[in-house]
Amino acid sequence: MNRKYRKTIIAGNWKMNKTASETVAFANEIKPLLPKTRACEAVLCVPALNITTAQKALKGCRISVGAQTLHYEKSGAFTGEISADMLDDLGVKYVIIGHSERREYYGETDATVNRKVLAALAAGLTPIVCVGESLDQRMLGVEKELLAYQLMTAISGVSAEDMKRIVIAYEPVWAIGTGKTATSEQAQEVCEHIRACIRKKYDARIARGVSILYGGSMNVKNAAELLKMPDIDGGLIGGASLKPADFAQLIEISAQVENE
């Protein structure tokens, strides 16, 4: 990671976990465990029902509350959906877009991811845009071409100025929830490639300012090694973000790596 040019971000993705009361309990447990000074940009993307509860419970402890998805339309007959304006009105800053589970289970495509990115930017939100390959795609050796296509489609129509507001999360699909993790060298190679794609589309200044997160089972055991890589600027954390001690430790590890 390189804080000279970009933010280090530790972003938790709770997925469909924790009730409102469990969210309050989490907040009460994590508060005394957090570093006294801001170690990085910390975010928890919680279920939509828990956003307001999490904001109140985490007030004053330097953790932003984010959302896990949104709809690309501003309003309309879309039962069960949430718009960017609704999130903005709640004071939400970050929103995950294009997570592999949304793609697999809910039919999100590269095209709809792009529409969501544009909607988020228009509402002043910061998209955390997910890209990643399956095990079969990696075994075929087409992961770099696939990632370039996913990324370029996701940011189609995004101005250079707005690109500064986007965070990219590389999530090797084969490493999510399986306990498998790409080696730090494999993760760095892909994140470097993603940055090169951004550089080609925009320029070096824009590319070096974009935070790229690793989203493949980062935990307290492997975080330091991953965060030492020059193009890995944080993590999109799944299971470890549900545990107050682990999430607080990941925030602390990011500070330790920076100070080494």
Side-chain angles (χ1 to χ4, degrees), residues 74-205:
K74 290 181 71 68
S75 62
F78 303 104
T79 302
E81 291 290 346
I82 304 164
S83 73
D85 288 343
M86 292 174 184
L87 295 176
D88 178 55
D89 192 58
L90 289 178
V92 169
K93 179 180 178 183
Y94 290 93
V95 57
I96 299 171
I97 297 177
H99 191 279
S100 60
E101 291 162 2
R102 298 294 309 178
R103 295 174 187 260
E104 180 179 359
Y105 303 135
Y106 302 103
E108 289 198 7
T109 66
D110 295 319
T112 57
V113 167
N114 174 242
R115 295 182 71 179
K116 291 186 176 194
V117 168
L118 296 176
L121 291 170
L125 305 178
T126 297
I128 300 175
V129 183
C130 299
V131 295
E133 83 280 13
S134 68
L135 182 58
D136 287 345
Q137 290 161 338
R138 174 165 278 271
M139 294 297 290
L140 287 170
V142 298
E143 69 274 11
K144 289 186 177 179
E145 291 83 356
L146 173 78
L147 289 165
Y149 177 81
Q150 283 184 341
L151 177 64
M152 290 301 104
T153 305
I155 61 176
S156 177
V158 173
S159 69
E161 195 63 28
D162 278 344
M163 190 64 213
K164 297 176 185 177
R165 298 164 47 206
I166 291 178
V167 176
I168 304 298
Y170 166 55
E171 45 161 12
V173 178
W174 49 272
I176 298 174
T178 63
K180 297 180 180 179
T181 308
T183 66
S184 54
E185 290 78 14
Q186 286 175 319
Q188 162 59 23
E189 181 182 9
V190 173
C191 291
E192 183 180 25
H193 173 66
I194 290 170
R195 199 176 306 283
C197 291
I198 298 170
R199 185 183 306 115
K200 184 176 180 180
K201 179 174 175 64
Y202 299 100
D203 59 35
R205 181 178 60 85

